[in-house]
mmCIF file of all heavy atoms in Angstrom:
data_model
loop_
_atom_site.group_PDB
_atom_site.id
_atom_site.type_symbol
_atom_site.label_atom_id
_atom_site.label_comp_id
_atom_site.label_asym_id
_atom_site.label_seq_id
_atom_site.Cartn_x
_atom_site.Cartn_y
_atom_site.Cartn_z
ATOM 1 N N ARG A 1012 -38.993 64.585 48.522
ATOM 2 C CA ARG A 1012 -39.527 63.501 47.729
ATOM 3 C C ARG A 1012 -39.108 62.133 48.239
ATOM 4 O O ARG A 1012 -38.115 62.017 48.984
ATOM 5 C CB ARG A 1012 -39.077 63.630 46.276
ATOM 6 C CG ARG A 1012 -39.402 65.012 45.668
ATOM 7 C CD ARG A 1012 -39.190 64.991 44.171
ATOM 8 N NE ARG A 1012 -39.478 66.310 43.610
ATOM 9 C CZ ARG A 1012 -39.642 66.541 42.315
ATOM 10 N NH1 ARG A 1012 -39.569 65.523 41.444
ATOM 11 N NH2 ARG A 1012 -39.908 67.721 41.859
ATOM 12 N N PHE A 1013 -39.829 61.137 47.840
ATOM 13 C CA PHE A 1013 -39.462 59.769 48.154
ATOM 14 C C PHE A 1013 -38.337 59.287 47.247
ATOM 15 O O PHE A 1013 -38.308 59.602 46.083
ATOM 16 C CB PHE A 1013 -40.663 58.828 47.995
ATOM 17 C CG PHE A 1013 -41.779 59.034 49.010
ATOM 18 C CD1 PHE A 1013 -42.970 59.634 48.627
ATOM 19 C CD2 PHE A 1013 -41.585 58.648 50.308
ATOM 20 C CE1 PHE A 1013 -43.971 59.791 49.550
ATOM 21 C CE2 PHE A 1013 -42.593 58.831 51.248
ATOM 22 C CZ PHE A 1013 -43.782 59.419 50.880
ATOM 23 N N ARG A 1014 -37.419 58.556 47.847
ATOM 24 C CA ARG A 1014 -36.383 57.881 47.030
ATOM 25 C C ARG A 1014 -36.922 56.542 46.533
ATOM 26 O O ARG A 1014 -37.803 55.937 47.184
ATOM 27 C CB ARG A 1014 -35.136 57.632 47.868
ATOM 28 C CG ARG A 1014 -34.410 58.877 48.317
ATOM 29 C CD ARG A 1014 -33.130 58.515 49.093
ATOM 30 N NE ARG A 1014 -32.460 59.670 49.628
ATOM 31 C CZ ARG A 1014 -31.587 60.430 48.955
ATOM 32 N NH1 ARG A 1014 -31.286 60.087 47.688
ATOM 33 N NH2 ARG A 1014 -30.988 61.450 49.512
ATOM 34 N N PRO A 1015 -36.395 56.041 45.424
ATOM 35 C CA PRO A 1015 -36.828 54.744 44.919
ATOM 36 C C PRO A 1015 -36.574 53.619 45.959
ATOM 37 O O PRO A 1015 -35.555 53.640 46.656
ATOM 38 C CB PRO A 1015 -35.994 54.520 43.682
ATOM 39 C CG PRO A 1015 -35.607 55.906 43.233
ATOM 40 C CD PRO A 1015 -35.474 56.715 44.514
ATOM 41 N N ALA A 1016 -37.486 52.712 46.072
ATOM 42 C CA ALA A 1016 -37.394 51.603 47.000
ATOM 43 C C ALA A 1016 -37.096 50.310 46.228
ATOM 44 O O ALA A 1016 -36.999 50.310 44.994
ATOM 45 C CB ALA A 1016 -38.734 51.419 47.767
ATOM 46 N N ARG A 1017 -36.933 49.241 46.961
ATOM 47 C CA ARG A 1017 -36.660 47.950 46.286
ATOM 48 C C ARG A 1017 -37.753 47.562 45.319
ATOM 49 O O ARG A 1017 -37.523 46.998 44.266
ATOM 50 C CB ARG A 1017 -36.447 46.863 47.388
ATOM 51 C CG ARG A 1017 -35.924 45.562 46.867
ATOM 52 C CD ARG A 1017 -35.142 44.822 47.958
ATOM 53 N NE ARG A 1017 -35.834 44.773 49.207
ATOM 54 C CZ ARG A 1017 -36.653 43.775 49.575
ATOM 55 N NH1 ARG A 1017 -36.866 42.759 48.759
ATOM 56 N NH2 ARG A 1017 -37.252 43.817 50.782
ATOM 57 N N PHE A 1018 -38.999 47.868 45.674
ATOM 58 C CA PHE A 1018 -40.104 47.630 44.776
ATOM 59 C C PHE A 1018 -39.910 48.315 43.466
ATOM 60 O O PHE A 1018 -40.204 47.764 42.375
ATOM 61 C CB PHE A 1018 -41.419 48.048 45.423
ATOM 62 C CG PHE A 1018 -42.561 48.151 44.466
ATOM 63 C CD1 PHE A 1018 -43.188 47.003 43.983
ATOM 64 C CD2 PHE A 1018 -42.987 49.393 43.997
ATOM 65 C CE1 PHE A 1018 -44.235 47.097 43.069
ATOM 66 C CE2 PHE A 1018 -44.045 49.481 43.066
ATOM 67 C CZ PHE A 1018 -44.670 48.329 42.622
ATOM 68 N N ASP A 1019 -39.435 49.547 43.471
ATOM 69 C CA ASP A 1019 -39.241 50.313 42.244
ATOM 70 C C ASP A 1019 -38.134 49.704 41.403
ATOM 71 O O ASP A 1019 -38.213 49.684 40.148
ATOM 72 C CB ASP A 1019 -38.874 51.751 42.565
ATOM 73 C CG ASP A 1019 -40.000 52.449 43.367
ATOM 74 O OD1 ASP A 1019 -41.077 52.635 42.830
ATOM 75 O OD2 ASP A 1019 -39.751 52.802 44.538
ATOM 76 N N ARG A 1020 -37.083 49.182 42.051
ATOM 77 C CA ARG A 1020 -36.019 48.499 41.281
ATOM 78 C C ARG A 1020 -36.565 47.252 40.604
ATOM 79 O O ARG A 1020 -36.191 46.923 39.485
ATOM 80 C CB ARG A 1020 -34.864 48.139 42.195
ATOM 81 C CG ARG A 1020 -34.157 49.350 42.781
ATOM 82 C CD ARG A 1020 -32.764 49.022 43.316
ATOM 83 N NE ARG A 1020 -32.818 48.012 44.352
ATOM 84 C CZ ARG A 1020 -32.985 48.292 45.646
ATOM 85 N NH1 ARG A 1020 -33.141 49.562 46.035
ATOM 86 N NH2 ARG A 1020 -32.973 47.344 46.573
ATOM 87 N N PHE A 1021 -37.469 46.548 41.308
ATOM 88 C CA PHE A 1021 -38.144 45.369 40.752
ATOM 89 C C PHE A 1021 -38.903 45.724 39.497
ATOM 90 O O PHE A 1021 -38.782 45.063 38.466
ATOM 91 C CB PHE A 1021 -39.066 44.772 41.814
ATOM 92 C CG PHE A 1021 -39.993 43.701 41.280
ATOM 93 C CD1 PHE A 1021 -39.551 42.417 41.074
ATOM 94 C CD2 PHE A 1021 -41.316 44.015 41.055
ATOM 95 C CE1 PHE A 1021 -40.434 41.464 40.593
ATOM 96 C CE2 PHE A 1021 -42.209 43.061 40.597
ATOM 97 C CZ PHE A 1021 -41.745 41.757 40.356
ATOM 98 N N VAL A 1022 -39.686 46.786 39.536
ATOM 99 C CA VAL A 1022 -40.499 47.179 38.373
ATOM 100 C C VAL A 1022 -39.573 47.624 37.233
ATOM 101 O O VAL A 1022 -39.829 47.324 36.047
ATOM 102 C CB VAL A 1022 -41.515 48.292 38.757
ATOM 103 C CG1 VAL A 1022 -42.236 48.807 37.506
ATOM 104 C CG2 VAL A 1022 -42.479 47.788 39.781
ATOM 105 N N GLU A 1023 -38.535 48.390 37.564
ATOM 106 C CA GLU A 1023 -37.630 48.867 36.558
ATOM 107 C C GLU A 1023 -36.961 47.714 35.810
ATOM 108 O O GLU A 1023 -36.885 47.748 34.558
ATOM 109 C CB GLU A 1023 -36.536 49.760 37.185
ATOM 110 C CG GLU A 1023 -35.573 50.353 36.194
ATOM 111 C CD GLU A 1023 -34.526 51.227 36.861
ATOM 112 O OE1 GLU A 1023 -34.469 51.234 38.092
ATOM 113 O OE2 GLU A 1023 -33.729 51.854 36.122
ATOM 114 N N GLU A 1024 -36.523 46.711 36.552
ATOM 115 C CA GLU A 1024 -35.894 45.555 35.876
ATOM 116 C C GLU A 1024 -36.905 44.755 35.077
ATOM 117 O O GLU A 1024 -36.581 44.238 33.995
ATOM 118 C CB GLU A 1024 -35.221 44.669 36.943
ATOM 119 C CG GLU A 1024 -33.978 45.248 37.585
ATOM 120 C CD GLU A 1024 -32.923 45.551 36.549
ATOM 121 O OE1 GLU A 1024 -32.687 44.717 35.649
ATOM 122 O OE2 GLU A 1024 -32.311 46.662 36.611
ATOM 123 N N TRP A 1025 -38.098 44.673 35.559
ATOM 124 C CA TRP A 1025 -39.156 43.972 34.816
ATOM 125 C C TRP A 1025 -39.436 44.683 33.499
ATOM 126 O O TRP A 1025 -39.570 44.057 32.432
ATOM 127 C CB TRP A 1025 -40.424 43.894 35.672
ATOM 128 C CG TRP A 1025 -41.458 42.908 35.185
ATOM 129 C CD1 TRP A 1025 -41.469 42.202 34.054
ATOM 130 C CD2 TRP A 1025 -42.675 42.579 35.857
ATOM 131 N NE1 TRP A 1025 -42.600 41.432 33.957
ATOM 132 C CE2 TRP A 1025 -43.367 41.658 35.050
ATOM 133 C CE3 TRP A 1025 -43.271 43.008 37.084
ATOM 134 C CZ2 TRP A 1025 -44.614 41.123 35.417
ATOM 135 C CZ3 TRP A 1025 -44.490 42.485 37.419
ATOM 136 C CH2 TRP A 1025 -45.144 41.540 36.603
ATOM 137 N N ARG A 1026 -39.449 46.013 33.573
ATOM 138 C CA ARG A 1026 -39.711 46.802 32.354
ATOM 139 C C ARG A 1026 -38.541 46.630 31.346
ATOM 140 O O ARG A 1026 -38.784 46.510 30.170
ATOM 141 C CB ARG A 1026 -39.894 48.264 32.740
ATOM 142 C CG ARG A 1026 -40.144 49.150 31.532
ATOM 143 C CD ARG A 1026 -40.262 50.640 31.906
ATOM 144 N NE ARG A 1026 -41.492 50.906 32.637
ATOM 145 C CZ ARG A 1026 -41.561 51.248 33.883
ATOM 146 N NH1 ARG A 1026 -40.432 51.353 34.617
ATOM 147 N NH2 ARG A 1026 -42.727 51.503 34.480
ATOM 148 N N LYS A 1027 -37.327 46.684 31.835
ATOM 149 C CA LYS A 1027 -36.175 46.601 30.956
ATOM 150 C C LYS A 1027 -36.062 45.258 30.262
ATOM 151 O O LYS A 1027 -35.803 45.160 29.072
ATOM 152 C CB LYS A 1027 -34.879 46.864 31.756
ATOM 153 C CG LYS A 1027 -34.659 48.296 32.149
ATOM 154 C CD LYS A 1027 -33.380 48.444 32.930
ATOM 155 C CE LYS A 1027 -33.092 49.881 33.337
ATOM 156 N NZ LYS A 1027 -31.859 49.989 34.139
ATOM 157 N N SER A 1028 -36.251 44.195 31.050
ATOM 158 C CA SER A 1028 -36.026 42.852 30.508
ATOM 159 C C SER A 1028 -37.255 42.242 29.830
ATOM 160 O O SER A 1028 -37.154 41.331 29.021
ATOM 161 C CB SER A 1028 -35.608 41.887 31.656
ATOM 162 O OG SER A 1028 -36.670 41.716 32.583
ATOM 163 N N GLY A 1029 -38.424 42.762 30.158
ATOM 164 C CA GLY A 1029 -39.647 42.216 29.575
ATOM 165 C C GLY A 1029 -40.137 40.990 30.284
ATOM 166 O O GLY A 1029 -41.129 40.388 29.902
ATOM 167 N N ALA A 1030 -39.401 40.557 31.331
ATOM 168 C CA ALA A 1030 -39.822 39.379 32.087
ATOM 169 C C ALA A 1030 -39.569 39.635 33.567
ATOM 170 O O ALA A 1030 -38.727 40.464 33.937
ATOM 171 C CB ALA A 1030 -39.036 38.156 31.647
ATOM 172 N N MET A 1031 -40.325 38.987 34.423
ATOM 173 C CA MET A 1031 -40.239 39.194 35.855
ATOM 174 C C MET A 1031 -38.832 38.878 36.337
ATOM 175 O O MET A 1031 -38.313 37.781 36.145
ATOM 176 C CB MET A 1031 -41.255 38.357 36.569
ATOM 177 C CG MET A 1031 -41.471 38.730 38.038
ATOM 178 S SD MET A 1031 -40.326 37.944 39.173
ATOM 179 C CE MET A 1031 -40.862 36.228 39.061
ATOM 180 N N PRO A 1032 -38.132 39.841 36.968
ATOM 181 C CA PRO A 1032 -36.746 39.613 37.433
ATOM 182 C C PRO A 1032 -36.708 38.755 38.697
ATOM 183 O O PRO A 1032 -37.660 38.696 39.465
ATOM 184 C CB PRO A 1032 -36.239 41.018 37.697
ATOM 185 C CG PRO A 1032 -37.450 41.801 38.105
ATOM 186 C CD PRO A 1032 -38.585 41.221 37.263
ATOM 187 N N SER A 1033 -35.594 38.109 38.879
ATOM 188 C CA SER A 1033 -35.407 37.318 40.090
ATOM 189 C C SER A 1033 -34.357 37.998 40.972
ATOM 190 O O SER A 1033 -33.523 38.767 40.509
ATOM 191 C CB SER A 1033 -34.933 35.889 39.722
ATOM 192 O OG SER A 1033 -33.688 35.961 39.010
ATOM 193 N N GLY A 1034 -34.421 37.703 42.268
ATOM 194 C CA GLY A 1034 -33.413 38.171 43.195
ATOM 195 C C GLY A 1034 -33.656 39.534 43.785
ATOM 196 O O GLY A 1034 -32.822 40.015 44.581
ATOM 197 N N ILE A 1035 -34.740 40.206 43.379
ATOM 198 C CA ILE A 1035 -35.024 41.562 43.967
ATOM 199 C C ILE A 1035 -36.078 41.419 45.047
ATOM 200 O O ILE A 1035 -35.923 41.886 46.174
ATOM 201 C CB ILE A 1035 -35.447 42.538 42.879
ATOM 202 C CG1 ILE A 1035 -34.325 42.704 41.854
ATOM 203 C CG2 ILE A 1035 -35.793 43.893 43.505
ATOM 204 C CD1 ILE A 1035 -34.676 43.635 40.707
ATOM 205 N N LEU A 1036 -37.218 40.784 44.710
ATOM 206 C CA LEU A 1036 -38.258 40.463 45.698
ATOM 207 C C LEU A 1036 -38.278 38.966 45.891
ATOM 208 O O LEU A 1036 -38.192 38.182 44.926
ATOM 209 C CB LEU A 1036 -39.643 40.958 45.217
ATOM 210 C CG LEU A 1036 -39.805 42.427 44.910
ATOM 211 C CD1 LEU A 1036 -41.298 42.735 44.590
ATOM 212 C CD2 LEU A 1036 -39.322 43.333 46.048
ATOM 213 N N ASP A 1037 -38.387 38.548 47.128
ATOM 214 C CA ASP A 1037 -38.453 37.095 47.394
ATOM 215 C C ASP A 1037 -39.877 36.584 47.250
ATOM 216 O O ASP A 1037 -40.825 37.351 47.086
ATOM 217 C CB ASP A 1037 -37.871 36.777 48.793
ATOM 218 C CG ASP A 1037 -38.675 37.343 49.939
ATOM 219 O OD1 ASP A 1037 -39.914 37.482 49.788
ATOM 220 O OD2 ASP A 1037 -38.108 37.629 51.003
ATOM 221 N N PRO A 1038 -40.069 35.265 47.257
ATOM 222 C CA PRO A 1038 -41.407 34.707 47.031
ATOM 223 C C PRO A 1038 -42.474 35.244 47.990
ATOM 224 O O PRO A 1038 -43.631 35.423 47.591
ATOM 225 C CB PRO A 1038 -41.188 33.182 47.189
ATOM 226 C CG PRO A 1038 -39.761 32.986 46.837
ATOM 227 C CD PRO A 1038 -39.029 34.196 47.320
ATOM 228 N N GLN A 1039 -42.107 35.452 49.260
ATOM 229 C CA GLN A 1039 -43.066 35.983 50.221
ATOM 230 C C GLN A 1039 -43.512 37.381 49.834
ATOM 231 O O GLN A 1039 -44.712 37.738 49.878
ATOM 232 C CB GLN A 1039 -42.399 36.028 51.613
ATOM 233 C CG GLN A 1039 -43.303 36.445 52.744
ATOM 234 C CD GLN A 1039 -44.066 35.301 53.357
ATOM 235 O OE1 GLN A 1039 -44.249 34.274 52.726
ATOM 236 N NE2 GLN A 1039 -44.485 35.447 54.595
ATOM 237 N N GLU A 1040 -42.571 38.213 49.395
ATOM 238 C CA GLU A 1040 -42.890 39.586 49.000
ATOM 239 C C GLU A 1040 -43.713 39.599 47.681
ATOM 240 O O GLU A 1040 -44.599 40.403 47.500
ATOM 241 C CB GLU A 1040 -41.578 40.350 48.828
ATOM 242 C CG GLU A 1040 -40.856 40.541 50.182
ATOM 243 C CD GLU A 1040 -39.393 40.907 50.018
ATOM 244 O OE1 GLU A 1040 -38.839 40.779 48.911
ATOM 245 O OE2 GLU A 1040 -38.787 41.372 51.020
ATOM 246 N N LEU A 1041 -43.335 38.705 46.762
ATOM 247 C CA LEU A 1041 -44.104 38.633 45.516
ATOM 248 C C LEU A 1041 -45.547 38.204 45.758
ATOM 249 O O LEU A 1041 -46.499 38.758 45.150
ATOM 250 C CB LEU A 1041 -43.420 37.646 44.553
ATOM 251 C CG LEU A 1041 -42.082 38.051 43.990
ATOM 252 C CD1 LEU A 1041 -41.471 36.910 43.208
ATOM 253 C CD2 LEU A 1041 -42.222 39.304 43.156
ATOM 254 N N ALA A 1042 -45.749 37.282 46.660
ATOM 255 C CA ALA A 1042 -47.098 36.858 47.013
ATOM 256 C C ALA A 1042 -47.860 38.024 47.646
ATOM 257 O O ALA A 1042 -49.050 38.205 47.384
ATOM 258 C CB ALA A 1042 -47.066 35.662 47.972
ATOM 259 N N GLY A 1043 -47.170 38.835 48.451
ATOM 260 C CA GLY A 1043 -47.818 39.998 49.029
ATOM 261 C C GLY A 1043 -48.178 41.014 48.017
ATOM 262 O O GLY A 1043 -49.257 41.649 48.109
#
């Protein structure tokens, strides 16, 4: 199986906090 990636940590934190987290994906990656 695939292991969780940085993207998955981003979504998990977004889900937990209810707001887009900072410091996991940078602006370039978010735009992508």
Side-chain angles (χ1 to χ4, degrees):
R1012 306 191 181 194
F1013 291 108
R1014 294 182 184 275
R1017 190 152 48 92
F1018 165 76
D1019 301 295
R1020 296 199 299 274
F1021 168 79
V1022 175
E1023 182 181 7
E1024 289 301 316
W1025 195 354
R1026 179 183 289 112
K1027 286 180 179 178
S1028 67
M1031 194 274 292
S1033 60
I1035 299 179
L1036 302 186
D1037 65 30
Q1039 185 88 337
E1040 294 162 345
L1041 291 173

